[in-house]
Amino acid sequence: MKITAVSTPSVSIAPQVGGNAAPAPAAAPAAAAPLESAVLQPAQEALRALPDFDAARVAELRDALSKGELPFDAGRLAGLIQRFHGQG
């Protein structure tokens, strides 16, 4: 199995016509709501510095799977996916 990068297109939701919904409030500028920015900023910077994924670990797991060193139960995986998505 080959794993490739997939980009997910952004999804925009249009308001329904004829509804009684109130207009959405305008988003507040980031500078206007500092919340805990002084506390969170170091953590956000550390997260930005991390790679999206650990390529070396992915290669290691892929190799172990191909050699049969890592057990894989497709039925169990399918059951977990169904349970996670509320179908089981």
Side-chain angles (χ1 to χ4, degrees), residues 12-79:
S12 61
I13 300 174
Q16 295 180 351
V17 176
N20 292 333
L35 291 178
E36 302 171 65
S37 64
V39 175
L40 294 178
Q41 190 170 8
Q44 289 173 338
E45 290 172 7
L47 282 173
R48 281 189 212 104
L50 291 174
D52 290 335
F53 66 96
D54 186 346
R57 180 70 175 144
V58 170
E60 180 183 327
L61 291 171
R62 185 180 295 141
D63 187 47
L65 270 172
S66 68
K67 291 178 180 176
E69 298 171 351
L70 187 65
F72 177 73
D73 183 349
R76 181 167 181 255
L77 177 61

